[in-house]
Amino acid sequence: MTRDDLDADVLHALRRATRTRQAFYVLVLAVALIGQVTGAAQALGIPLAVAVPAVATLELGGVVVMADADVRRRLGERALASRLLSAAIAAAAVTFNWTAHPDHLLGGFYAGMSALGYLVWLIHAGNQRRDRLRATGNLPPTPPAYEIVGHWIRHPALTLRARAIAKTDGLDLYESLKEARTALSREHRNTAIARLLHRKIRAALDPTTADIAVRVYDLDEIATRLTATADYHGLTTLLATDLTPERIIAANAADSRPRWCRRQGRTKTATIAQPTESQPAASAPSAADTPAHGQEPQSQWEPEPITDNAQHLPDASHDAVPARPPAPSPDEPIVVHSAGCSESGSDAAGGDEVSAIPQGTAEAVAYWLRREPNMDPELLAERIGKSLRSVYRYLPADYPRRPGIARDRTQQRPRPVRRAGQRE
């Protein structure tokens, strides 16, 4: 059916409903009139010749007041007096029908018919008033019927915005939903742009200037120009760098073990005696002590090797200091067992997977720099399971450093020697 056929069908249904409603009003008014006449004759003892015109006058007065209230409301007035008077007349008729009959069941029937007629008239008068307001432009058009589950329950905020847009612009169901999604996305984008603009201007000038700039500049225009100057090729290349198969395989190989397994080879430090007045303090390492590239240096958390000169130790029982186990050879593979922890050694049996990643810090740094020369230090530290400062000790001299970390902080410094019985 075309739109004209639908409109013609609606017009025909409206005429049929009008005729049916008029017949309903006549029947309801007749039943209410009979109830009030019989009630007046039984309760008040009024003759029927007097009760019929009296009750008919009361009913007609109620209809006149209700019609007057409807007309005044269509003209834009509130008509509070007419509405209150019509409600009072309807309430009096319902109460009289209920109390005037000794049989309350029969009185309830007459009272219900009076209340039903008044309520139907209120609904019809409200519908006509809304139609007139919508035709004159004082009421928005009827919004689309959104789904209960698919729209109101799953996306209540979006549906509420779509309904408001549909009432304002006269859009249909799907157009209003599309415009609502666009509006919400635009609001989020403008909020992010305003926050960034305010922070940058506030850092350069002052907060008041930043507030003025955020309210003066057109954020939609800024977003349009940002979209026009966006470097999609550069952003795509930046994202594609991390999605290469080689990098994903390397990351999975480095992160396959738990963090506690990566640090399982670290030994606990031992307590060394404090230097006495006759013993000079430890000096900074010279250039000869600096480890060469590819060698495992002594960590700043490891104790210094104990020589034969042990007279500074208070007890002979403290002479035995656990030494750090030797670092594995770069050519020696790492056997990863089924439990998830790694173990170095060429004679390890029962392993499920063999990896060529070295265990030593220096060898691991050199290994990853050979694979990816431009790897970030943070990513490199995560790959080998060490701290960022430990990684910086073994980076080449020409490797770009992160701003804020000086070169002297990355050099190896000896740990102050403490006495065996002194608490740290």
Side-chain angles (χ1 to χ4, degrees), residues 250 293 355-358 362-372 380:
H293 181 68
S355 176
I357 303 176
E363 290 81 2
V365 171
Y367 170 80
W368 286 110
L369 289 181
R370 285 195 303 269
R371 293 179 63 90
E372 300 183 27
L380 183 57

Side-chain angles (χ1 to χ4, degrees), residues 265-270 272 298 302-306 319-327:
R266 298 186 181 182
T267 57
K268 297 182 179 180
T269 59
I272 310 294
Q298 181 181 2
E302 292 293 335
E304 295 183 354
I306 301 177
D319 292 345
V321 179
R324 182 178 180 178

Side-chain angles (χ1 to χ4, degrees), residues 172-224:
D172 59 6
L173 175 64
Y174 299 103
E175 290 180 353
S176 62
L177 290 173
K178 181 179 179 180
E179 288 296 328
R181 293 189 183 95
T182 304
L184 291 177
S185 177
R186 183 169 58 251
E187 287 183 0
H188 295 165
R189 180 199 64 193
N190 292 346
T191 301
I193 293 175
R195 188 181 296 114
L196 178 61
L197 182 63
H198 189 277
R199 184 172 69 247
K200 288 184 175 297
I201 298 179
R202 181 181 58 188
L205 297 176
D206 56 90
T208 304
T209 306
D211 294 338
I212 295 174
V214 169
R215 288 166 174 78
V216 168
Y217 286 108
D218 188 2
L219 301 180
D220 292 332
E221 182 65 22
I222 294 176
T224 302

Side-chain angles (χ1 to χ4, degrees), residues 107 228 334:
I334 300 176

